[in-house]
Amino acid sequence: MSKIRAAVFASGTGSNFEALVERDDLVCEIAFFVCDQPDAKVIEKASNYGIEAFVFWAKDFSSKEAYEQLLIEKLREKEIDWIFLAGYMRIVGHALLRAFEGKIINIHPSLLPDFPGKDAIGQAYEANVRETGVTIHFVDEGIDTGPIIAQETVPVYEDDTKETLKQRIQVVEHQLYPKTINQLLKKITSS
Ligand code: GRF
């Protein structure tokens, strides 16, 4: 049986993108990559792995609907079934949500529903919480509001800086994202 084909959407450094691509037991193939920041570091990573990319500036389009329609065409052309957001800094619109209903997943560096939106690690750090973590969830119209698939707690230590906390959160992210994708896709394909 041929592998499920997935696309990763990212806008930044791409450490989660890399963790997915490097994971040799991933049950799906990362067959496409989408980026909305033409100067993002993650683009070079995708190119080094030989993964075909679509890079765009949202401002070159008249609306979210317009660039998402083009994205949908590209994703269909590449026979993509699933979308994994990994630091994609745009809100997914109706067009993409409809086209990939129930098949878009995001990773967020907090224990949602706490600290949604930008700089979740900084928000948790400033709030002086004793623990934070990582959430994997389905994407809906809201900002980090979709149904939760998996969560893992990360303690915040007295002597943590925002940077040390971020490093420990990322270690968890890089394990939890591929593990959760594998569990979910295995469950879906066996039912
Ligand atoms: C990660 O912390 C992820 O949870 C959030 O954006 C960050 C992306 O980091 N959505 P990277 O580009 O994968 O290193």
Side-chain angles (χ1 to χ4, degrees), residues 95-116:
L96 201 53
L97 282 171
R98 248 194 328 267
F100 286 84
E101 202 184 342
K103 291 190 162 182
I104 308 180
I105 300 174
N106 184 40
I107 181 163
H108 184 78
S110 78
L111 292 176
L112 290 171
D114 292 343
F115 312 121

Side-chain angles (χ1 to χ4, degrees), residues 10-18 42 45 85-89 106-110 121 134-135 166 169-170 173-174:
S11 313
T13 35
S15 68
N16 282 283
F17 165 78
E18 204 163 13
V42 62
K45 288 185 178 159
L85 308 185
Y88 179 64
M89 298 306 284
N106 184 40
I107 181 163
H108 184 78
S110 78
I121 299 171
V134 177
T135 302
K166 180 180 168 190
I169 286 181
Q170 285 201 324
E173 287 194 319
H174 298 162

Side-chain angles (χ1 to χ4, degrees), residues 9-188:
F9 284 33
S11 313
T13 35
S15 68
N16 282 283
F17 165 78
E18 204 163 13
L20 290 173
V21 176
E22 282 283 338
R23 183 80 175 226
D24 51 19
D25 67 344
L26 202 69
V27 299
C28 60
E29 182 189 349
I30 306 300
F32 198 46
F33 163 68
V34 171
C35 181
D36 66 318
Q37 295 297 323
D39 50 2
K41 287 192 185 141
V42 62
I43 296 171
E44 199 186 330
K45 288 185 178 159
S47 145
N48 291 342
Y49 285 110
I51 296 173
E52 213 178 316
F54 178 66
V55 181
F56 69 101
W57 276 126
K59 62 176 167 58
D60 291 341
F61 294 81
S62 57
S63 63
K64 186 187 287 281
E65 173 90 23
Y67 71 70
E68 287 199 344
Q69 283 305 340
L70 182 59
L71 281 180
I72 291 165
E73 269 174 44
K74 303 264 175 205
L75 293 162
R76 296 266 187 252
E77 214 175 274
K78 303 290 165 205
E79 301 182 317
I80 297 301
D81 304 303
W82 286 81
I83 296 172
F84 306 140
L85 308 185
Y88 179 64
M89 298 306 284
R90 299 197 161 270
I91 296 168
V92 177
H94 295 302
L96 201 53
L97 282 171
R98 248 194 328 267
F100 286 84
E101 202 184 342
K103 291 190 162 182
I104 308 180
I105 300 174
N106 184 40
I107 181 163
H108 184 78
S110 78
L111 292 176
L112 290 171
D114 292 343
F115 312 121
K118 285 189 182 156
D119 193 21
I121 299 171
Q123 291 183 54
Y125 188 73
E126 294 302 325
N128 257 315
V129 289
R130 296 278 52 94
E131 56 180 34
T132 180
V134 177
T135 302
I136 314 289
H137 65 96
F138 287 108
V139 174
D140 65 8
E141 295 83 11
I143 299 177
D144 305 318
T145 49
I148 291 170
I149 307 166
Q151 286 187 308
E152 193 169 321
T153 298
V154 175
V156 184
Y157 300 132
E158 288 289 332
D159 59 351
D160 258 334
T161 62
K162 193 176 147 186
E163 194 48 41
T164 57
L165 178 60
K166 180 180 168 190
Q167 282 164 9
R168 288 205 321 288
I169 286 181
Q170 285 201 324
V171 170
V172 171
E173 287 194 319
H174 298 162
Q175 294 301 318
L176 188 65
Y177 211 5
K179 181 176 129 190
T180 305
I181 287 168
N182 274 352
Q183 284 172 348
L184 181 74
L185 295 186
K186 278 180 190 164
K187 198 167 131 193
I188 286 170

